[in-house]
Amino acid sequence: MTNSLIFFDIPSDDPDAAGRFYAEVFGWEDDPRLGGRYHRMVPGGMFKNPDGSDSEIGNLHMGIGDVANMRPHPAPEGIEPRGPATGGRGPRIWILIGDDDTPERILGKAEELGATVLWRNHYWAEFNGLNHCFVDPWGNHIMLWGKAGKPPVIPADYTRE
């Protein structure tokens, strides 16, 4: 396969705090690198085969980079901008809610740690998902995705689109 997504980085002005945040909210391993200026978040596990068994493909990793000097970059001092994005729409990062977790727990923990919940309980028919969204303390939009099932089971209190 060509042009495969292998991982992505999100910006933070405090990678150590962001690493702790994502470890507590999602239960991921926080792997600090470069003296804490970069953190690799390791969700663990493997992508599943259609029969539910583990495939040989590990789940994608996420990086957290220090906005003061996102690495790698050819110039040791990095380049502008050196602050988190604010005031506009940035990328949205989609997280599939594990079968052993709930959106209520994730959103509650995220809020407790300084996130802002944008919405809860919305069904998107286009991709048959139950979704929720929060903005982390660094301005990154995190979309939670729950499986609605076949046929979809949509709770009565969910908005629909």
Side-chain angles (χ1 to χ4, degrees):
M1 181 182 340
T2 60
N3 301 321
S4 298
L5 175 66
I6 55 171
F7 62 85
F8 60 91
D9 293 332
I10 63 169
S12 171
D13 58 2
D14 189 344
D16 291 325
R20 288 189 303 272
F21 176 88
Y22 282 98
E24 289 188 44
V25 170
F26 291 113
W28 296 342
E29 177 188 339
D30 179 13
D31 180 16
R33 306 263 178 116
L34 302 172
R37 292 179 300 165
Y38 177 84
H39 286 240
R40 181 179 68 157
M41 302 309 298
V42 184
M46 307 298 272
F47 279 104
K48 300 294 181 188
N49 291 311
D51 68 1
S53 63
D54 284 344
S55 76
E56 69 281 0
I57 303 165
N59 282 317
L60 298 177
H61 296 151
M62 177 181 90
I64 300 171
D66 186 350
V67 293
N69 191 346
M70 295 286 283
R71 306 308 310 163
H73 192 275
E77 66 280 1
I79 60 170
E80 296 293 335
R82 296 181 190 277
T86 57
R89 174 138 348 250
R92 297 189 303 174
I93 296 132
W94 294 81
I95 307 295
L96 178 64
I97 301 166
D99 293 338
D100 60 347
D101 210 344
T102 67
E104 295 80 17
R105 190 211 60 81
I106 294 169
L107 293 169
K109 179 55 81 172
E111 275 188 307
E112 177 186 318
L113 297 173
T116 301
V117 173
L118 295 183
W119 75 81
R120 302 170 189 263
N121 304 346
H122 181 70
Y123 173 69
W124 192 16
E126 182 67 25
F127 292 104
N128 192 31
L130 308 171
N131 57 77
H132 322 264
C133 181
F134 68 86
V135 178
D136 74 11
W138 301 274
N140 300 296
H141 287 218
I142 308 301
M143 303 288 296
L144 303 178
W145 188 266
K147 300 170 190 170
K150 291 182 184 179
V153 176
I154 308 161
D157 64 334
Y158 273 54
T159 56
R160 295 156 195 252
E161 165 180 8

